[in-house]
Amino acid sequence: MKINTQTRYGLKALVFIIGKLKEQDLVSTKEISENTTLPLRYLEQILHKLKNSDILKGYRGSKGGYKLLRDAAEITILDVFTAIEEEEQIIKCDYNKKKCIMRDSCTVRFVWAEMNENLKESMKKISLQDIVDKGDAFVNANS
């Protein structure tokens, strides 16, 4: 199973954006990068994917930045995953790509398919707002 670095960084950036939008209208790429320690150029690529997937709205200019297009409670981890990842498979299996050398004799592909569906269902149930709320509760409990 692999969730790539861009997806993990994308979630981190989105959580930061949600927090900052309580104080201001837009959050700049530079501000996100500086406060999350995400490399600026890499972050720009991630934000571009999120913008193209209707998760973020970007505004250009010296006062530009990003904001969410939907409420954080409506954006799920699966939305972020599918916006950033090139494949929708969480657990990689080459059966459907016809690359699998065991294609005709594979006895476990149904396990990977079922696990993929179960993981996707779990990812649909967790919103960005859930992450923010649980993160805030964790920080407050450990302060």
Side-chain angles (χ1 to χ4, degrees):
M1 182 172 117
K2 179 134 172 111
I3 294 178
N4 75 29
T5 304
Q6 281 195 350
T7 299
R8 293 193 314 271
Y9 284 6
L11 285 169
K12 189 175 182 179
L14 287 166
V15 167
F16 177 77
I17 291 168
I18 292 165
K20 291 305 282 185
L21 288 175
K22 294 175 185 173
E23 307 165 4
Q24 59 199 54
D25 293 331
L26 299 173
V27 185
S28 73
T29 307
K30 182 179 178 187
E31 186 176 9
I32 299 165
S33 176
E34 289 173 352
N35 287 279
T36 60
T37 68
L38 301 176
L40 185 62
R41 296 289 175 230
Y42 197 49
L43 177 61
E44 288 171 341
Q45 295 171 17
I46 295 166
L47 296 176
H48 182 74
K49 288 181 180 183
L50 293 169
K51 189 174 82 167
N52 287 342
S53 297
D54 294 329
I55 291 174
L56 288 178
K57 172 82 174 159
Y59 296 87
R60 294 178 178 235
S62 61
K63 304 250 188 230
Y66 290 92
K67 71 177 186 176
L68 297 178
L69 276 175
R70 295 178 275 156
D71 189 88
E74 297 174 14
I75 303 169
T76 68
I77 293 177
L78 185 62
D79 293 331
V80 177
F81 178 84
T82 55
I84 295 173
E85 301 276 343
E86 293 177 13
E87 294 183 40
E88 284 197 26
Q89 282 187 311
I90 301 162
I91 298 171
K92 305 297 182 204
C93 174
D94 289 333
Y95 179 80
N96 290 328
K97 293 182 184 177
K98 300 180 181 172
K99 292 180 183 177
C100 182
I101 59 173
M102 297 188 62
R103 184 172 171 77
D104 296 329
S105 61
C106 183
T107 57
V108 294
R109 72 175 178 263
F110 75 92
V111 173
W112 310 139
E114 188 173 317
M115 287 176 72
N116 261 320
E117 288 309 309
N118 289 339
L119 284 168
K120 284 181 182 179
E121 286 304 312
S122 294
M123 292 168 81
K124 281 182 194 175
K125 294 176 185 175
I126 303 170
S127 73
L128 293 179
Q129 190 62 54
D130 293 333
I131 295 171
V132 169
D133 293 345
K134 289 177 184 173
D136 287 347
F138 179 78
V139 169
N140 292 335
N142 291 303
S143 297

